[in-house]
Amino acid sequence: MLVIPLGLASRRKSLPWPAFFATYAGDTLWALLVYLLVRFIAPRRAALTVAAVALTFSFAIEFSQDYHAPWLDAARRTLPGRLVLGAGFLWSDLVCYFVGVLIGLGLDVALLTARRPDRAAGA
């Protein structure tokens, strides 16, 4: 419940975010949200499978930004389109997506371990 508001807030120019956070947090949180949505849709899948799907989806969206069909560019000019589809390809976004999915995977594994202490001990 915090990922969406924090991600939207990270894009607000009126808030005094540190430059690094303002530049990279939105894309990182976007990928974390993708991970969480995939986990919600497929709760019984292995965490690594969820991470692979989330990362593949995130990378596909980023690479699609080099495709400029008129209808797609029109969608990207809207606020929802820009938030979901992005506006332009950046290599740094791929790093952010990797970090966001890695955070999701880490949280997922930590929560699974906390729920099943017998597996954490190797039993």
Side-chain angles (χ1 to χ4, degrees):
M1 299 207 13
L2 293 175
V3 175
I4 293 173
L6 188 57
L8 292 172
S10 74
R11 298 295 188 186
R12 300 277 316 234
K13 304 291 184 203
S14 61
L15 296 174
W17 298 116
F20 186 84
F21 182 87
T23 302
Y24 301 113
D27 295 310
T28 304
L29 291 166
W30 185 88
L32 174 58
L33 179 63
V34 171
Y35 182 94
L36 296 172
L37 289 172
V38 174
R39 170 51 78 205
F40 180 76
I41 292 167
R44 288 187 167 72
R45 296 287 181 182
L48 284 176
T49 301
V50 172
V53 170
L55 198 58
T56 300
F57 178 82
S58 299
F59 276 33
I61 291 293
E62 188 65 24
F63 285 114
S64 78
Q65 293 173 21
D66 273 342
Y67 179 69
H68 295 285
W71 65 270
L72 194 52
D73 286 341
R76 287 186 181 119
R77 283 191 292 273
T78 67
L79 179 60
R82 193 169 52 254
L83 291 173
V84 174
L85 301 172
F89 178 85
L90 291 172
W91 286 103
S92 61
D93 288 353
L94 299 176
V95 175
C96 291
Y97 298 157
F98 182 79
V99 171
V101 169
L102 195 61
I103 290 168
L105 180 62
L107 291 171
D108 201 353
V109 169
L111 288 172
L112 288 173
T113 302
R115 279 194 227 145
R116 298 185 192 135
D118 57 316
R119 286 194 176 174

